[in-house]
Amino acid sequence: MALYSEKVMEHFRNPRNTGVIENADGVGEVGNAKCGDIMKVYLKIEDDMIVDAKFETFGCGSAIASSSMATELIKGKPVSEALALTNQAVVEALDGLPAHKIHCSVLAEEAIKKALQDYYEKQDTTHSSGQ
């Protein structure tokens, strides 16, 4: 099973942060019609810090592993760091993904950014994700 790194397999078999956050401060949902993956990320934010992040993913092992790792990378971090998260950071943290599965890490990045956008809209605050 050399196609996937041990970290990908670990996050697929034992995903972190699964579930729903009731009354989440930000929720982001994305999907890829081509592969059928759907990700939903929930964020709890206090004092500009992500105190909790959870996800629900319907998709392949790479999608589940990417969601799990992405939430791990942003928990306990300032919102500004979460906004800067890239799919490449997710791939690197997973010790790589096969080229045809990179889109899973892109979905994880997009879901987090949508959840942060939702948070800002709920706060009636404008922000620039382009920095």
Side-chain angles (χ1 to χ4, degrees):
M1 213 180 276
L3 185 63
Y4 296 103
S5 73
E6 191 51 45
K7 272 195 184 169
V8 171
M9 294 306 296
E10 172 59 24
H11 277 269
F12 166 64
R13 289 185 186 119
N14 301 296
R16 281 59 152 191
N17 310 310
T18 59
V20 176
I21 297 175
E22 295 299 328
N23 302 314
D25 296 308
V27 179
E29 185 172 3
V30 295
N32 182 319
K34 186 176 177 186
C35 68
D37 294 336
I38 299 170
M39 293 181 186
K40 193 168 189 177
V41 171
Y42 304 85
L43 301 177
K44 193 66 165 168
I45 301 170
E46 294 174 5
D47 298 324
D48 214 37
M49 296 289 286
I50 297 175
V51 295
D52 199 7
K54 294 199 180 296
F55 75 92
E56 295 178 299
T57 293
F58 178 83
C60 66
S62 294
I64 292 166
S66 292
S67 302
S68 175
M69 182 57 80
T71 56
E72 285 287 277
L73 290 171
I74 64 168
K75 271 179 77 168
K77 299 284 190 325
V79 169
S80 59
E81 280 188 40
L83 277 169
L85 180 74
T86 65
N87 77 292
Q88 190 58 42
V90 174
V91 171
E92 288 172 10
L94 288 170
D95 293 336
L97 282 173
H100 67 283
K101 292 294 183 177
I102 296 295
H103 69 275
C104 295
S105 64
V106 172
L107 281 176
E109 174 189 342
E110 290 174 349
I112 287 169
K113 290 190 174 163
K114 275 200 167 187
L116 289 166
Q117 179 182 359
D118 181 52
Y119 165 70
Y120 280 112
E121 288 171 359
K122 287 178 179 175
Q123 300 301 309
D124 195 31
T125 304
T126 58
H127 73 287
S128 169
S129 58
Q131 283 133 8

